Amino acid sequence: MSGAGDEPFIAAVKPLVDAMGGEMIPPDEAGPDDVVLSWEGADAVAVRLPQLADSLDHILAAMERRKGMPLADLDRKAKQEVVRILEARGAFSVRHGVETVASALGVSRFTVYNYLNREKST
C-alpha cells in the first residue's frame, strides 16, 4: 500500500478499520469522503468508511461473533441487552434500523420498540 516503514502503523489501525466495517486503500486512490491517515509525515493509508446501513450489519455480525451464536437464539434478557447496546451506538437512527435489528434478533419491530421503551421507563 505504501512504504515498508508504514507497515507497523497499518497493522495497528487495521483492527479498528475492520471493526467499523471500513476498507483500507492506497492513499493515492482516496476519494473526497475517504480519510487519509499519515505516519511520520507521509500519507500511509486511506480508509473508506462504510455506509451507515453497512455499519449496522457489521455491528450485528460482530455481536453474533462475540455471543458465539445467532442473535435470534439469545434469550429475551440478552436480546434486550443487545437492543440497549445498539441504541447507545445509534443503530436506530439508521434508516430501517429497527427492521434490521428485529430481523437479526428474530423478533417483531413491535418487540424491539417495547425493548426500547422499557429502557426509557427504567
Side-chain angles (χ1 to χ4, degrees):
M1 217 168 282
S2 231
D6 300 340
E7 288 176 19
F9 175 74
I10 292 170
V13 298
K14 186 175 184 340
L16 175 62
V17 173
D18 289 347
M20 64 184 198
E23 176 187 358
M24 297 174 82
I25 59 173
D28 59 347
E29 293 178 18
D33 294 331
D34 298 327
V35 179
V36 177
L37 303 176
S38 296
W39 178 250
E40 296 180 347
D43 292 345
V45 66
V47 177
R48 180 152 296 152
L49 300 173
Q51 299 298 309
L52 283 176
D54 295 338
S55 291
L56 179 54
D57 289 338
H58 200 80
I59 290 167
L60 288 166
M63 291 183 94
E64 279 196 347
R65 283 192 304 276
R66 234 175 277 129
K67 299 285 186 185
M69 67 174 69
L71 297 177
D73 293 347
L74 298 174
D75 64 24
R76 185 174 58 91
K77 187 172 174 62
K79 288 179 181 181
Q80 289 171 337
E81 175 69 9
V82 166
V83 168
R84 187 191 62 73
I85 291 167
L86 291 171
E87 182 181 29
R89 294 186 71 178
F92 301 110
S93 63
V94 175
R95 184 180 166 126
H96 303 299
V98 170
E99 292 88 341
T100 302
V101 171
S103 176
L105 292 175
V107 299
S108 69
R109 289 182 342 199
F110 181 75
T111 299
V112 172
Y113 284 118
N114 279 341
Y115 292 169
L116 288 167
N117 289 333
R118 179 170 288 124
E119 282 298 314
K120 287 176 175 58
S121 66
T122 56

